[in-house]
Amino acid sequence: MKRIFHFAALVASAFALAACCCQAPVLSDQQTISSPDGRLSMTFGLSEQGEPCYCLNYGDTAVVLPSRLGFELRGTVKATELDFKGAGITKIDAKPSYMFNSDFRVLDVQTDSFDETWAPVWGEEKAIRNNYNELLVCLEQGETGRLMNIRFRLFDDGLGFRYEFPGNQELNYFVIKEELTEFAMADDCLAWWIPGDFDTQEYQYAETRLSGISAELPAHVCGNSSQTLFSKSGVQTALIMKTDENLYVTIHEAGLVDYPCMHLDVNEKTRVLTSFLTPDAQGWKGYMQTACKTPWRTVQVTPTATEMLASRLVLNLNDPCVYEDVSWIHPVKYMGVWWEMIAGAGSWAYTDEYPSIHLGETDYASAKPSGRHSANNEKVRAYIDFAAENGFDALLIEGWNIGWEDWANCSKDYVFDFQTPYPDFDIKALNDYAHSKGIRLVMHHESSSSVRNYERHLEAAYNLMNQYGYDAVKSGYVGDILPRGEHHYGQWMVNHYLYCVTEAAKHHIMVNAHEAVRPTGLCRTYPNLIGNESARGTEYQAFGGTQPNHTTILQFTRLNGGPMDFTPGIFEQNLKEWCGNDSHVNATIANQLSLYVTFYSPLQMAADTPDHYRPYMDAFQFIKDVAVDWDETRYIAAEPNDYLVVARKPKQSTLTGSAAAFSKGRDTWFLGGTTDEQQRSVDVALDFLTPGVSYEAVIYADAADADYLTNPQAYTITRQDVTSADSLSLTMAPGGGFAVSFRAR
């Protein structure tokens, strides 16, 4: 039942302000709510200057000290005066920016509670509980009379809050200059972070105290085709930290719609993290029209790392699914004509004759083929055969369409049409052949970040997919954004990504977007957003390599907001001997198998080539058997950046191909363990198995002499009968892991 309290009846806070640092505001007129289990408490209040503030406790332990909320707003929607004072003529704002973070008074306070269990279309479990206590604070700024509400939701595993701007007030259209949301951390936390960047997340993670970020940041910046860093102490969300009291804290956002992506700028002396929004081409942060709201700002707090992995707070803060019919949305296990181009053994481009392409004018029919074009009829048929023989659902094909000769780093507008195949790619014949083998093809739309061009062709491209039976697309946004000056994570692009998803839904098409903004749980609302890359994926193993710890931190950071198309399954680590690439894949084969369990995605790829799988078909069997959609997930052991062990129970109703053949209606589970560069041994209790049932466990593990650098292809496969009363002792080599399948006898 909703309970309404007026300002005069605000409940006094139990928060111990003695824990505040000297710069934290002192709060008056306080209101406190607790999480359903009582472990967390959140207090709202106003500072002496009328600044909205909040703080967060875990029991008696301060997690977030009193932190200010609000905005700085542009004084007008656009420049409205001409300035002749300088050497030239410029436009200026008629009104200066003003502060919308102080001089507030509380008009009203409302509290509420909510408890439901909902079923995701696909996910890590068949049911998710959404249980929180809510506080809505209605504010009025004294001098301007403008209104702003702040809605807080406190769950057992953390806090979500957002700003809401009511309609029917003087504040109608407005522009955000800065969002001033603070997260004043009580400790100089140990943090795992990547540099703040408006255009890429493709970095490896650093591990430092908050006070040490700026010293380490330059060393963690690597090259990218588009990158825009904004501060030496700026980091991206999701940011996970560990306090001195061994609490795990993650700051992120949920429900990112029609608003720029949030980064954090860290004051290393005060430990105050301040929101830093991605700007547009003019430097402004967001364009708003009331009534409107911001995304949720999230602070997850758990006493263990495994509970953090199990948190569904970000999903719960998103709206329910908007589609009445979801029967066309389904998990996918796929292969791809992809890795050989990434590694350098093949090419996306058809010819080397033309350094410059004009679509509609360049005569590909008379061009001399380079002989390296991978998406050709013969090779694609061979991939289809292998995928079909091994029970896969689909095959991605990159480089099928004209335009790849000058697609990158040319700032080119009309770069692809997403419809015209190269001369050696017979789109109809290949689709017919794939369908005859039970394989669907996955369309590839690399936009080269020419977003206007992609939207220009989007409807025709989706119609082409419908014509030939494609029901999933991998889109890409490599390079600087066109329109020039916009960023990958700005409001304009955030709207574009969602536009593609909602337009795709009209065609019953699932979307897997690479280089897009990091997920914030929108897959609950739009479940045809079946995958994202949006982080440093497996491809970087061919771009100089990625350190093993990377696959033990992404689950805490990038996957906090939704699944990742990480593209695991590389069996040939020595790229030098294969294709002359000096990079080395820093993982053992057992590690690559483990990622099918430790990385969640309903769109899961076997990324290597058929030729590299054939010598190791006994190990490849695990990839064939493992599911990609789950009824239950158990996080057994974990520590960020070090290791994790996960068990999952398949969702029988969505099993297809070889995974369905493995289960055959029987009770099955899968277990995966992943480690960093350190060798680790773990004892795993099998109490997740059904009591009283005997299972055959097939254990894929690193050999005793395995090592990700010196002996990555050394593995063992053993079988034993187990029950829920047993445990397994498993050793992971440096850069290694293990994978286990359990099937009831």
Side-chain angles (χ1 to χ4, degrees):
M1 173 182 290
K2 180 173 287 188
R3 302 177 298 279
I4 300 177
F5 297 92
H6 292 284
F7 179 63
L10 293 175
V11 178
S13 171
F15 182 75
L17 291 177
C20 298
C21 66
C22 61
Q23 293 185 338
V26 176
L27 307 186
S28 61
D29 302 317
Q30 299 170 17
Q31 172 75 47
T32 296
I33 58 172
S34 297
S35 60
D37 67 1
R39 292 193 299 181
L40 288 169
S41 60
M42 191 283 302
T43 295
F44 171 85
L46 296 176
S47 74
E48 294 178 353
Q49 293 75 37
E51 300 163 307
C53 300
Y54 76 100
C55 48
L56 183 65
N57 270 22
Y58 183 89
D60 294 329
T61 301
V63 178
V64 180
L65 301 177
S67 301
R68 298 170 177 87
L69 302 170
F71 296 85
E72 182 179 358
L73 302 181
R74 190 179 186 182
T76 181
V77 175
K78 66 173 186 176
T80 55
E81 291 186 356
L82 296 175
D83 183 2
F84 295 90
K85 295 178 182 178
I89 303 171
T90 58
K91 288 184 178 181
I92 60 173
D93 290 354
K95 298 179 181 179
S97 299
Y98 67 95
M99 303 308 295
F100 199 53
N101 69 332
S102 60
D103 192 29
F104 280 104
R105 67 185 183 96
V106 177
L107 295 180
D108 197 16
V109 173
Q110 301 175 14
T111 62
D112 200 359
S113 296
F114 188 78
D115 193 357
E116 69 166 359
T117 299
W118 58 278
V121 175
W122 42 259
E124 296 184 70
E125 51 270 308
K126 63 182 176 183
I128 296 175
R129 189 180 183 189
N130 184 14
N131 184 23
Y132 58 82
N133 292 326
E134 182 175 274
L135 171 69
L136 175 65
V137 183
C138 303
L139 301 169
E140 180 184 47
Q141 192 174 40
E143 182 177 349
T144 66
R146 294 174 173 177
L147 305 176
M148 179 177 71
N149 301 337
I150 307 176
R151 187 180 301 273
F152 299 90
R153 289 181 180 171
L154 193 57
F155 302 77
D156 290 344
D157 52 358
L159 172 68
F161 62 90
R162 72 183 181 194
Y163 303 93
E164 300 177 357
F165 302 92
N168 300 317
Q169 62 159 314
E170 188 272 337
L171 185 64
N172 189 3
Y173 292 92
F174 63 97
V175 179
I176 297 172
K177 182 178 181 181
E178 301 289 351
E179 182 187 318
L180 304 173
T181 301
E182 292 181 349
F183 307 86
M185 303 309 298
D187 294 336
D188 184 15
C189 302
L190 182 65
W192 294 272
W193 53 271
I194 55 174
D197 194 310
F198 299 146
D199 285 298
T200 185
Q201 294 122 235
E202 295 176 336
Y203 296 118
Q204 295 187 88
Y205 280 80
E207 178 180 319
T208 70
R209 294 280 181 173
L210 290 174
S211 58
I213 289 175
S214 61
E216 290 290 328
L217 189 142
H220 287 84
V221 176
C222 62
N224 190 278
S225 60
S226 181
Q227 55 189 156
T228 308
L229 287 88
F230 66 90
S231 169
K232 291 183 179 179
S233 56
V235 300
Q236 301 193 41
T237 69
L239 171 69
I240 183 168
M241 298 168 283
K242 190 175 183 179
T243 72
D244 293 343
E245 292 76 22
N246 293 321
L247 293 174
Y248 295 84
V249 182
T250 301
I251 297 177
H252 193 30
E253 60 183 325
L256 177 58
V257 175
D258 194 21
Y259 200 82
C261 175
M262 180 183 74
H263 300 69
L264 299 169
D265 203 6
V266 180
N267 186 316
E268 294 172 310
K269 293 182 179 179
T270 65
R271 307 186 301 274
V272 174
L273 286 56
T274 304
S275 61
F276 201 98
L277 303 181
T278 305
D280 73 347
Q282 298 181 28
W284 303 106
K285 302 298 180 69
Y287 297 80
M288 312 293 284
Q289 178 187 359
T290 60
C292 59
K293 57 184 179 292
T294 69
W296 298 93
R297 278 65 189 96
T298 63
V299 185
Q300 292 158 276
V301 184
T302 63
T304 66
T306 53
E307 288 177 84
M308 182 61 72
L309 291 170
S311 173
R312 302 294 176 252
L313 183 147
V314 170
L315 284 176
N316 280 328
L317 286 168
N318 280 268
D319 292 336
C321 177
V322 297
Y323 306 138
E324 292 185 8
D325 174 23
V326 295
S327 61
W328 50 278
I329 301 172
H330 57 89
V332 178
K333 189 190 293 185
Y334 74 109
M335 298 188 68
V337 181
W338 171 77
W339 181 244
E340 63 181 74
M341 295 99 90
I342 292 291
S347 173
W348 290 271
Y350 175 72
T351 180
D352 296 332
E353 276 196 315
Y354 306 137
S356 176
I357 297 298
H358 296 275
L359 296 188
E361 300 177 19
T362 300
D363 183 10
Y364 279 103
S366 60
K368 179 182 178 181
S370 67
R372 300 183 71 249
H373 181 230
S374 295
N376 62 73
N377 293 323
E378 181 180 0
K379 180 161 291 185
V380 170
R381 284 175 181 265
Y383 269 80
I384 291 171
D385 290 342
F386 186 84
E389 290 166 6
N390 290 283
F392 282 77
D393 303 314
L395 179 72
L396 165 73
I397 305 165
E398 296 196 5
W400 66 275
N401 56 315
I402 63 172
W404 286 90
E405 285 72 19
D406 61 351
W407 72 283
N409 301 316
C410 296
S411 193
K412 182 179 180 181
D413 181 18
Y414 191 19
V415 59
F416 296 115
D417 69 4
F418 312 98
Q419 297 163 74
T420 307
Y422 276 124
D424 60 348
F425 185 87
D426 189 331
I427 186 170
K428 182 180 186 306
L430 290 173
N431 271 275
D432 289 344
Y433 186 72
H435 293 170
S436 74
K437 297 274 189 172
I439 296 293
R440 285 183 179 270
L441 299 187
V442 176
M443 182 62 73
H444 184 229
H445 288 167
E446 174 54 62
S447 69
S448 188
S449 284
S450 180
V451 180
R452 182 181 71 162
N453 181 60
Y454 189 29
E455 292 190 356
R456 178 191 294 142
H457 291 96
L458 193 64
E459 178 66 16
Y462 285 166
N463 283 333
L464 182 76
M465 290 180 63
N466 289 157
Q467 177 185 348
Y468 288 112
Y470 291 83
D471 67 353
V473 61
K474 174 185 174 182
S475 56
Y477 297 89
V478 173
D480 292 336
I481 297 294
L482 276 72
R484 298 171 182 91
E486 296 294 338
H487 297 293
H488 282 75
Y489 311 144
Q491 184 181 25
W492 194 85
M493 283 302 298
V494 166
N495 289 341
H496 163 78
Y497 301 132
L498 186 54
Y499 172 74
C500 292
V501 170
T502 55
E503 289 299 302
K506 298 174 184 178
H507 294 263
H508 285 190
I509 290 171
M510 300 177 291
V511 176
N512 169 28
H514 282 225
E515 295 89 28
V517 70
R518 52 189 170 272
T520 59
L522 285 176
C523 55
R524 177 189 179 187
T525 312
Y526 309 97
N528 67 313
L529 180 56
I530 198 171
N532 283 105
E533 181 196 41
S534 305
R536 185 184 176 103
T538 296
E539 63 185 347
Y540 274 82
Q541 294 282 20
F543 303 158
T546 296
Q547 293 307 304
N549 61 291
H550 193 63
T551 57
T552 65
I553 184 61
L554 285 173
Q555 295 86 345
F556 292 93
T557 54
R558 161 63 185 78
L559 274 79
N560 183 272
M564 181 179 179
D565 185 29
F566 188 71
T567 60
I570 305 302
F571 279 19
E572 178 52 69
Q573 290 85 356
N574 190 340
L575 304 186
K576 179 78 171 179
E577 291 187 8
W578 170 38
C579 58
N581 187 329
D582 289 331
S583 301
H584 184 273
V585 179
N586 293 320
T588 67
I589 285 181
N591 169 278
Q592 291 294 286
L593 297 181
S594 76
L595 302 183
Y596 290 91
V597 184
T598 59
F599 269 80
Y600 172 65
S601 179
L603 180 78
Q604 197 69 278
M605 187 184 199
D608 214 331
T609 69
D611 286 345
H612 292 158
Y613 287 134
R614 287 191 178 96
Y616 308 103
M617 291 304 292
D618 55 350
F620 188 69
Q621 187 65 42
F622 182 83
I623 300 178
K624 295 170 59 175
D625 294 342
V626 71
V628 297
D629 194 25
W630 310 99
D631 264 353
E632 188 176 350
T633 292
R634 303 276 188 93
Y635 290 99
I636 295 171
E639 183 64 20
N641 219 33
D642 289 342
Y643 63 91
L644 70 159
V645 179
V646 185
R648 302 189 194 267
K649 181 179 178 62
K651 183 180 293 183
Q652 293 282 342
S653 61
T654 59
L655 291 172
T656 59
S658 56
F662 175 78
S663 289
K664 294 182 180 177
R666 287 191 277 181
D667 189 28
T668 54
W669 280 81
F670 293 90
L671 177 71
T674 304
T675 187
D676 58 4
E677 71 284 356
Q678 301 296 322
Q679 177 177 304
R680 298 181 192 277
S681 296
V682 295
D683 292 325
V684 181
L686 304 183
D687 53 5
F688 51 85
L689 299 175
T690 303
V693 177
S694 177
Y695 296 80
E696 181 190 39
V698 183
I699 304 165
Y700 304 79
D702 292 311
D705 58 347
D707 183 280
Y708 76 98
L709 286 176
T710 60
N711 199 15
Q713 294 171 320
Y715 60 88
T716 63
I717 302 175
T718 57
R719 287 172 166 80
Q720 66 183 82
D721 289 341
V722 298
T723 70
S724 63
D726 295 323
S727 63
L728 292 177
S729 295
L730 300 161
T731 297
M732 298 179 281
F738 60 81
V740 185
S741 64
F742 300 90
R743 180 164 56 176
R745 289 288 188 183

